[in-house]
Amino acid sequence: MDALDGGFWQYEDASYPEVGVTYFAGTFVRHPLALAAAKASLLYMKAQGPALQQSLTAKTDYLANSLNTELTRQQLPFFVAHFGSLWKIKFKEDIPYSELLFTMMREKGIHIWDGFPCFMTEAHTTEDINQIITICLDSINEMVQAGFFPSSLYSSKTLSKQQNLISPNTPPIPGAKLGRDNKGNPAWYISNPELPGKYLKIDLN
């Protein structure tokens, strides 16, 4: 381990790392607690054998397949990618305000960082996984009904009747761009032909 920590040394005396260390980057990668945790994890994985990864993969498959079945049914523009114990919500295209999905899930008790991968662990129970699935689908359906996500189950006419909202995905006029008005509310704008570089707000009423 000398190549990692510089050899034996300790605080409060004249000792110091006397061996040239190998440079590598990472957060806490040489911290004694991180190394101890890594060793304990490896020993546990060795003791459990292949059944550990097989169990985690089965849990992840169940979550991903449950979500993807509904996402496919509604023809929504995102899916759950997964491999082993890793899974991640991935969007097939850029959708305005898509990150609100993660905010809504957090408000319902499921914390997922926007755009980051997730990992299944032994601590996750079947009840936990079902809760993730339920809250994720509830949040998705709320955003669909609010007009944020296009779904095969809702037509644009149905959505416009249900919600007095601006559709973030369908410009009312070709070439219109989505922005915010002086009150911070979403609004559609078109280029002002009389003032290049300026925009006119579209009145949808």
Side-chain angles (χ1 to χ4, degrees):
M1 301 298 290
D2 288 0
L4 298 178
D5 62 13
F8 177 79
W9 64 281
Q10 60 188 14
Y11 290 104
E12 299 179 350
D13 62 20
S15 64
Y16 61 91
E18 299 180 16
V19 179
V21 298
T22 302
Y23 174 80
F24 60 99
T27 306
F28 305 126
V29 289
R30 290 186 289 193
H31 193 284
L33 181 59
L35 292 173
K39 179 180 179 180
S41 298
L42 291 171
L43 291 175
Y44 181 80
M45 292 171 64
K46 181 178 180 180
Q48 295 297 311
L52 172 63
Q53 291 300 325
Q54 291 167 357
S55 173
L56 294 177
T57 298
K59 290 181 180 181
T60 309
D61 287 344
Y62 170 67
L63 181 144
N65 292 337
S66 298
L67 289 174
N68 283 333
T69 297
E70 181 62 19
L71 299 179
T72 300
R73 186 177 78 90
Q74 294 196 42
Q75 298 180 2
L76 290 163
F78 50 97
F79 66 102
V80 177
H82 62 106
F83 180 83
S85 59
L86 180 150
W87 64 279
K88 179 181 179 181
I89 297 175
K90 300 191 69 173
F91 288 85
K92 300 176 183 178
E93 58 191 69
D94 290 333
I95 301 176
Y97 308 114
S98 60
E99 67 276 5
L100 287 177
L101 171 61
F102 303 100
T103 302
M104 295 184 68
M105 291 183 65
R106 278 193 288 273
E107 289 185 342
K108 293 177 171 63
I110 301 298
H111 177 69
I112 297 178
W113 279 10
D114 308 10
F116 279 75
C118 306
F119 295 91
M120 194 66 66
T121 72
E122 277 199 302
H124 289 104
T125 65
T126 301
E127 290 75 18
D128 293 332
I129 298 171
N130 285 330
Q131 184 181 21
I132 295 171
I133 294 170
T134 298
I135 288 178
C136 186
L137 292 179
D138 286 348
S139 300
I140 290 170
N141 288 331
E142 287 181 33
M143 293 191 69
V144 167
Q145 293 178 33
F148 288 98
F149 295 149
S151 169
S152 61
L153 300 185
Y154 297 87
S155 67
S156 58
K157 292 183 179 179
T158 300
L159 288 173
S160 63
K161 291 179 181 178
Q162 289 179 336
Q163 303 288 337
N164 184 23
L165 296 173
I166 295 173
S167 170
N169 300 310
T170 307
I173 298 175
K177 297 184 179 297
L178 188 63
R180 292 186 179 275
D181 60 19
N182 54 9
K183 295 181 179 180
N185 298 315
W188 288 104
Y189 292 86
I190 58 173
S191 297
N192 188 336
E194 298 180 0
L195 297 172
K198 301 295 183 180
Y199 292 87
L200 295 172
K201 179 181 176 182
I202 301 174
D203 187 359
L204 299 177
N205 297 323

